């Protein structure tokens, strides 16, 4: 059983930065970890993902260049550094993890992830 705990959300003004953290516990090998977000009235969408072995990263087009996903394997923690935040980035941000191998492109599909955190709110004001 994998437990994911997010932290680091908050309220910032447009142009500001936040760093989200997702700490994983459970002692199980995780293949892929990702961040998703969901704004009120909208579907959950992927933000970024990272494969824990090798460190390959993937980003949604909407955040490319502004957001960086990284990991600290020693701490079993994944980070989401968000810069140049925009009001459109306002959402609940969720950490997700999957143990099994994922087919090409699956990193962006929420239903491919088995484990989810409770979420952390990010609010960006104009």
């Amino acid at each position: 059983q994998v437990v994911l705990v997010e932290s680091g959300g908050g309220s910032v003004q447009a142009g500001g930065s936040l760093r989200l953290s997702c700490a994983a516990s459970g002692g199980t090998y995780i293949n892929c970890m990702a961040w998703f977000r969901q704004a009120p009235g909208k579907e959950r969408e992927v933000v970024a993902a990272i494969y824990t072995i090798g460190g390959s990263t993937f980003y949604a087009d909407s955040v490319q260049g502004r957001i960086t996903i990284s990991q600290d394997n020693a701490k079993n923690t994944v980070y989401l550094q968000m810069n140049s935040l925009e009001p459109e980035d306002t959402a609940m941000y969720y950490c997700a993890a999957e143990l099994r191998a994922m087919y090409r492109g699956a990193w962006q599909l929420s239903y491919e992830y088995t484990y989810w955190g409770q979420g952390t709110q990010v609010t960006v004001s104009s």
Side-chain angles (χ1 to χ4, degrees):
Q1 182 74 11
V2 175
V3 177
L4 304 175
V5 178
E6 303 103 330
S7 62
S11 298
V12 296
Q13 290 191 328
S17 298
L18 281 174
R19 188 176 81 155
L20 307 183
S21 300
C22 174
S25 60
T28 302
Y29 165 72
I30 296 174
N31 178 49
C32 183
M33 294 188 71
W35 286 95
F36 285 76
R37 66 186 181 187
Q38 188 167 18
K42 295 188 176 181
E43 292 187 358
R44 190 169 296 191
E45 63 176 3
V46 71
V47 177
I50 185 167
Y51 283 89
T52 60
I53 301 299
S56 295
T57 57
F58 304 87
Y59 297 93
D61 290 343
S62 61
V63 304
Q64 192 76 252
R66 299 190 297 120
I67 289 179
T68 302
I69 189 170
S70 62
Q71 62 181 349
D72 183 336
N73 287 337
K75 296 181 179 179
N76 292 325
T77 299
V78 169
Y79 303 98
L80 192 71
Q81 178 65 46
M82 303 189 294
N83 300 322
S84 302
L85 284 164
E86 305 166 352
E88 293 72 25
D89 294 315
T90 295
M92 184 71 79
Y93 283 70
Y94 297 93
C95 179
E98 179 53 44
L99 310 183
R100 59 185 172 87
M102 302 171 75
Y103 63 86
R104 190 181 188 91
W107 62 271
Q108 56 195 317
L109 303 174
S110 60
Y111 57 79
E112 292 290 338
Y113 294 86
T114 303
Y115 301 98
W116 291 84
Q118 294 300 307
T120 185
Q121 178 68 37
V122 171
T123 302
V124 184
S125 58
S126 57

